[in-house]
Amino acid sequence: MVTSSAITEAVSSEPASSEVAIRGAETSNIAALSSMMGGLILVIAIIFVLAYIVKKLNLVQSNQGVIKTVAMTPLGQKEKLVLVELEGQQYLLGVTAQQVNLIEKLDSTVNVETSSFASRLKQAKQQAKEQAKE
């Protein structure tokens, strides 16, 4: 009789343990999915914040339009001098938070040398090589 009761307990405990294992696996899958979605939402939020910062700081200048920004020099927190070109003519503008003033219509064009990071790095490497030879 002792053996039959032990077998009955073992048989009756198997479905309970398998249900716990299935529920544990479902909980594990839900936790993994929620963790993955949380990470995805975080990455998308970071992308939007960085795009906002780039737009606010005007880090990317577009020169495809009719009016091209040739150079810009900040004078204060909200004040800057901007050299723009329109149809081959260059204008020096004073820009504040409240207004934009024409300072000068330039008679001769100002050529601003634009160099990329790659060209600056190459130049720095050449200077380092020359200093190492000396």
Side-chain angles (χ1 to χ4, degrees), residues 13-119:
S13 67
E14 280 183 25
S17 65
S18 65
E19 284 181 25
V20 170
I22 291 172
R23 287 184 184 162
E26 288 175 359
T27 305
S28 172
N29 289 340
I30 291 172
L33 182 63
S34 65
S35 174
M36 183 175 61
M37 290 302 291
L40 180 63
I41 291 170
L42 179 68
V43 168
I44 290 172
I46 289 172
I47 289 171
F48 278 112
V49 167
L50 290 176
Y52 176 77
I53 290 171
V54 166
K55 183 178 178 182
K56 275 301 204 186
L57 294 179
N58 198 17
L59 296 177
V60 178
Q61 296 179 2
S62 64
N63 287 332
Q64 279 78 28
V66 176
I67 300 174
K68 297 179 183 176
T69 303
V70 178
M72 181 172 28
T73 302
L75 299 175
Q77 189 173 8
K78 294 184 179 182
E79 300 85 18
K80 56 188 165 186
L81 286 176
V82 180
L83 180 63
V84 295
E85 184 174 333
L86 175 65
E87 296 180 359
Q89 182 64 47
Q90 291 184 341
Y91 302 93
L92 183 62
L93 305 174
V95 180
T96 65
Q98 291 82 21
Q99 61 187 6
V100 177
N101 292 324
L102 174 65
I103 296 175
E104 183 78 30
K105 180 179 176 183
L106 302 177
D107 295 330
S108 61
T109 60
V110 176
N111 295 325
V112 179
E113 181 180 324
T114 57
S115 60
S116 65
F117 177 75
S119 64

